[in-house]
Each structure stands twice: as structure tokens, then as C-alpha cells.
Amino acid sequence: MEEKVLIFGHKNPDTDSICSSLVHEILDKKNGWENTKAVRLGNINKETQYVLDYLGIEEPELIEKIEPGQGVLLVDHNEFNQSVDGIENAKILGVTDHHRIANFETSEPLYYNAKPYGCTSTILFEEFKQFGHEIERTEAILMASSIISDTLLLKSPTTTEHDKKALEELGKIANINIEEYGLEMLKAGTDLDDFSEEQLINLDAKSLNKDGIKFVIAQVNTVSIEEVLKRQEKLEEVINAKIESENLSLFVFAITDILNSNSEIIALGSKADVVEKAFDKTLVNNRAFLEGVVSRKKQLLPAIDKNI
Ligand code: MG
Ligand code: MG
Ligand code: MG
């Protein structure tokens, strides 16, 4: 059997990483490219599980590393430190992504579709249009779910006109009430009770590296910041352990209120003062409240990156 080309999003996969991988495979089939296969680099989170259950589809297969020369298609990321183990020696055939380009290189030419949109699925939505393919219900719901997740129902400052237009049309195709469906989906992802603190800080964590300075920005969505802060002491314990074991200069844990669009951050590490400069705030009890901040990509990361 011909070897499959693997499609995957980043480690600690979010809804966009999983759903866009699945949609990419569907789009490939419509383009007559039969041997691509969506896989995942980590556990399915509860929000994404809601989507898969809603559609009654199986989660993609988990892979932990790849062999040299393996053909791959990346979605929703490009940085090697967010990708699969062995990515350096993979044959990267294409990237569909909406993030900055960093820590990335290939030895061969490739398809690279980057757009500064709110979501990878919005790029895929426009590809369906460009190729003239009909969008069916399954891919409509997958793409809508990604957009809802990445833009927090179009409320994040990462949202573009492209995302709004795509979500509106996808809602019609899927015949669902986007507000209702979206809120249920987002809420499913905020049920944090049965996660340990160790799991919480790793649920949606991005590892970053600036000139050898290693830092992590992790994020959880909630409908009650207070509820999560009850666990601050234990959270700090596991964050400090991670700082120690991974030699990090900074760990930022953002607790994002999806209903009111604010975040409380816990910042630890030798460079914790960076967040004070970045947001013009004083850390009190290692915390700061950031009004109107919900986006790691557009708000947290650029400000921290500039000051680190
Ligand atoms: Mg993502
Ligand atoms: Mg995304
Ligand atoms: Mg995200």
C-alpha cells in the first residue's frame, strides 16, 4: 500500500488543529488526492470532543513521532517546536496556517498557504471556494467549530472579515444556530474539574523560544476565573516544577473568561517582570488582570515577545 501523507496540527491540539486536519483530508479527496490522512499529536480536548460527538465521527489516530522522509502536511502551526518529534527530517509538502512563521525551514519547495485570518479553517473554506467544491454538512460544522473556537465566537481581536463571512455561510450550510451551538461547544471546553493542575497547565500550552530564551504561554478557557484561581497554589507548584525541569525563563498561565472576554494571568519564572512591562501592570501575588485580553497570538505573545 502506498504510504500515507499525514496531516496534523500542533501538539496539545485545539479544535482548529483537529478539525482543520479532518477538513484538509476531505478537501484532498475532493481534489483527487486519495492518500492523505488526518492524525493528531495529542489528546482531544473536551471542546473538540463535543464537536466530534455532535458529528458522530471518530477522533484521528494519535502519532508521537515520524520517520525520516515521511510526507506531511501541516495545519494550524509551522514552528518545529510545536510540531511532531522528527519533523526536522520529514518531507513537508504543504502548510496551511494563520500564525507567524518562525523556527521553520525545509530543504525542498512546498505549498505554503498563510493568511493572517482568525482561523486555519477560514483559509480552507476559501480553498473550497477556489476549487469550486461544494461544502457538505460535515465539513461545514468542522470548519464552523474551528472558527468559533479560535475567535471565541468572533469576539477575539484576531477575527477578520474573512472569518465572519465564512462562519455566516457555514452556519447556513450546516443549518445550525451558530450562537447556540457555539456557546455549548465553548462551554464544553471550560469544564476543568477533572483535570489535575499538571494537566491544566499543559492543556493548551505553547512553547516559545526567542534567541535561546525559552518561555511558555498556556491558556485555559473558563466561565469563572475565580473558580480556577481557587487552585492557584497548586498551579504555581506545578508551574515552578516545569520551569525547573525545562529550564524556562518564564511561564505565563492565562485564565480566559470566554463570556466577558478578559484574562487573569499567573506569571512565574526569572523573567516574570517581562509581563509587567508588556502590559504595564504590577504583578500582585504573581497575578495580573488583563482587561479585554483573550488572544495569545495577537495580544499575549507579541507583547511578551517584544519585552523578553
Ligand atoms: Mg491552534
Ligand atoms: Mg488556529
Ligand atoms: Mg487557541
Side-chain angles (χ1 to χ4, degrees), residues 3 20 30 33 79 81 97 116 119 208 217 225 239 290 292:
E3 197 189 303
S20 287
K30 287 187 189 263
W33 194 13
E79 299 192 40
N81 47 328
D97 188 27
C119 180
L208 299 136
I217 307 177
I225 289 175
I239 290 171
L290 306 181

Side-chain angles (χ1 to χ4, degrees), residues 67-81:
E67 299 302 322
Q70 168 71 50
V72 299
L73 294 159
L74 309 187
V75 300
D76 197 36
H77 76 297
N78 66 80
E79 299 192 40
F80 284 180
N81 47 328

Side-chain angles (χ1 to χ4, degrees), residues 192-223:
L192 304 174
D193 289 353
D194 40 304
F195 290 115
S196 67
E197 286 75 15
E198 173 92 47
Q199 287 170 319
L200 279 187
I201 66 159
N202 289 303
L203 267 186
D204 181 11
K206 285 231 160 104
S207 303
L208 299 136
N209 189 329
K210 189 180 183 193
D211 307 325
I213 299 173
K214 287 162 65 184
F215 62 108
V216 169
I217 307 177
Q219 189 170 31
V220 288
N221 288 344
T222 183
V223 288

Side-chain angles (χ1 to χ4, degrees), residues 14 16 76 98-99 118-120 150:
D14 55 12
D16 188 26
D76 197 36
H98 67 128
H99 293 88
C119 180
T120 307
D150 270 11

Side-chain angles (χ1 to χ4, degrees), residues 10-14 76 82 99 150 152 156-158 201-208 215-221 252-254 256 263 279 293-305:
H10 50 80
K11 283 183 175 160
N12 299 318
D14 55 12
D76 197 36
Q82 298 167 9
H99 293 88
D150 270 11
L152 293 177
S156 164
T158 54
I201 66 159
N202 289 303
L203 267 186
D204 181 11
K206 285 231 160 104
S207 303
L208 299 136
F215 62 108
V216 169
I217 307 177
Q219 189 170 31
V220 288
N221 288 344
V252 176
F253 184 68
T256 299
S263 296
F279 303 103
V293 170
V294 295
S295 168
R296 172 169 45 207
K297 186 168 69 167
K298 213 150 189 158
Q299 297 171 309
L300 293 169
L301 173 57
I304 291 167
D305 196 73

